[in-house]
Each structure stands twice: as structure tokens, then as C-alpha cells.
Amino acid sequence: MSRTADEVKTVPITSEVYAYLVAQAEPPTAVQRRLIERTHALGGPAEMQIPSEQGVLLTLLAKLVGARRIVEVGTFTGYSTLALAEGLLPDGRVLTCDISEEWTSIAQETWKEAGVADRIELKVAPALGTLRALPVEAVIDLVFLDADKPGYLAYWEELVPRVRAGGLLLADNVLYGGEAVRADAKGNGLAIREFNAHVRADNRVESVMLPVADGLTIARKR
Ligand SMILES: C[S@@+](CC[C@H](N)C(=O)[O-])C[C@H]1O[C@@H](n2cnc3c(N)ncnc32)[C@H](O)[C@@H]1O
């Protein structure tokens, strides 16, 4: 397939380009660096942590929408939660959902260290139940989806009605390592592919997919 004129404009992300673009964002704080190291020591699961430049983007987006209420699905060791909390208005709160006591205990220690623990409510339970129990009022300013991929669609359906007009829904891993692009995608790749098609067809939002890390969709509620 030949490259279109617009495709040619998109710079391939070589190691050199990646290092350069990372260097253009605020570097991680000492607390964030310690969390990155602690998470790295977990081995394989560490790849679930968002990269630092994506953290900067989350903080920025939270500030841009003047976020008071944020809901995150997928806490892990708390890097993205910390980034979101840093973007809150002074009286704002993040509700974050995960099923792992082990990973979220690292998160809780880190939030205390960073001085944001009082702005974060953690629910350790399958996220769908937590979301269904939220009042059906359109008061959420920002949502970040980053948990089990087959759950995204159900989380989306619970959360879109609860986001205020002009609020944002962000979904991570929407390229799923490139698997979501394939018509024969299976498993998580297929789940993400179906989620992406659902978002694209959803007239309640306007959205764009960005090649940030593993792919990030930004959707604004109409
Ligand atoms: C990709 S990680 C989240 C990474 C995190 N946002 C960060 O930047 O460090 C996905 C998380 O989703 C959690 N998870 C998986 N299934 C879940 C479910 N049904 N409900 C809530 N959390 C779930 C996992 O325990 C895991 O910590």
C-alpha cells in the first residue's frame, strides 16, 4: 500500500524521536521516579504503567477541563492516578477502581508520599459494580479507562451518561500493540477493535485517536 500525503507527514517514532519528545515534557518528580523504579521491580506487570509523558498529558487534560470529579478504571501502582490528581482543582477528587490489593497498596503509599492521598478514593472491587453504583448524574469531568480490555465497552456505557457536557473520556491502549488494526484480531485486540468501532459510532461524543504510547482516544461529551 503506498503512503498517502497525510501519512507521510506523520513522523515514525524511532528511539531518537521518542527520546526527543519525552525530553520536551516535564520530567517525573522524585516521587514519580521512585514509583517507576518500584513498579519496574515487579517485572512483567510493569509494562502496564503509563509512560511519564502520558502522565504529563493526563495532568494537562485534567487542568484544561477544570476537573473536580475524575473516575479512573485501572489503578495498578497508581502512576496515572497521581498524574490525574495533580491536575484537579483544589477541592477535586479522583475515584479509582482496581481489583488488586497488592498493586494498589503500592499506589496508596505513593499518593501519601506525594501529598495527594486525601484527593483519591480507591475502590478495590470489579470496576463495573463500582461504576453502576455511582449516581446517574452528569457530573464527571474526566474519565480514564485503563483496565481489562474486554470491559472497556461496558465501562464506557456506564460512564458516558455520567460525564457532563464538555467533559472528557480517555481510553488507553486503543491500538493494542497494533493488534487492534487487524481485521482478524482476537482476544484483547478484538475487544479493543470493537470498542474503537463503538466509540467512533457514538454520537454522544466527538473523538480523536492519538498515537501516544499504545494509542490514546480522547472523546469529548457533546
Ligand atoms: C494497565 S493496568 C493500569 C495501569 C495504570 N493506569 C497505570 O498507569 O499505572 C490495568 C489494571 O486494571 C486492573 N483490572 C483488571 N480487571 C479489572 C476489573 N474488572 N476491575 C477493575 N480493575 C481491573 C488490573 O488489576 C490492573 O491493575
Side-chain angles (χ1 to χ4, degrees):
M1 212 161 56
S2 64
R3 302 179 79 210
T4 64
D6 283 349
E7 187 185 352
V8 168
K9 281 184 207 159
T10 304
V11 176
I13 307 289
T14 61
S15 297
E16 193 186 9
V17 171
Y18 181 67
Y20 183 78
L21 73 84
V22 169
Q24 307 316 307
E26 194 66 32
T29 62
V31 174
Q32 286 171 327
R33 276 205 314 276
R34 275 197 292 282
L35 178 57
I36 291 167
E37 280 160 24
R38 222 176 144 184
T39 305
H40 187 72
L42 296 173
E47 69 172 26
M48 293 200 290
Q49 184 172 57
I50 60 159
S52 64
E53 73 280 9
Q54 192 176 346
V56 174
L57 177 62
L58 293 183
T59 305
L60 199 76
L61 290 172
K63 287 183 181 173
L64 278 172
V65 293
R68 236 183 213 105
R69 291 173 210 221
I70 294 179
V71 175
E72 176 183 59
V73 187
T75 318
F76 187 41
T77 57
Y79 195 97
S80 50
T81 325
L82 180 54
L84 292 166
E86 299 284 1
L88 284 168
L89 289 173
D91 56 345
R93 294 280 178 279
V94 181
L95 167 66
T96 184
C97 313
D98 207 290
I99 46 175
S100 168
E101 295 278 2
E102 182 197 342
W103 290 332
T104 58
S105 64
I106 298 175
Q108 284 174 297
E109 284 172 33
T110 305
W111 301 334
K112 271 192 206 128
E113 219 187 317
V116 296
D118 60 336
R119 294 187 229 161
I120 299 171
E121 181 190 354
L122 169 68
K123 282 268 186 207
V124 180
L128 195 54
T130 303
L131 301 182
R132 283 188 176 146
L134 295 175
V136 190
E137 295 168 342
V139 292
I140 298 170
D141 302 297
L142 191 150
V143 161
F144 182 50
L145 297 184
D146 190 18
D148 54 311
K149 307 314 162 193
Y152 271 35
L153 224 151
Y155 303 147
W156 178 266
E157 281 307 304
E158 288 303 322
L159 286 163
V160 170
R162 292 173 166 94
V163 171
R164 67 159 166 90
L168 296 180
L169 294 107
L170 314 176
D172 200 20
N173 307 110
V174 289
L175 291 171
Y176 205 71
E179 283 182 44
V181 175
R182 299 172 55 107
D184 63 351
K186 294 184 179 58
N188 283 347
L190 176 60
I192 286 289
R193 193 174 165 83
E194 288 173 351
F195 171 75
N196 290 338
H198 186 79
V199 172
R200 183 70 192 93
D202 192 334
N203 289 327
R204 295 171 295 179
V205 299
E206 47 197 328
S207 68
V208 65
M209 188 183 286
L210 301 178
V212 173
D214 193 26
L216 180 73
T217 287
I218 303 183
R220 178 183 181 273
K221 174 108 176 260
R222 290 187 202 274

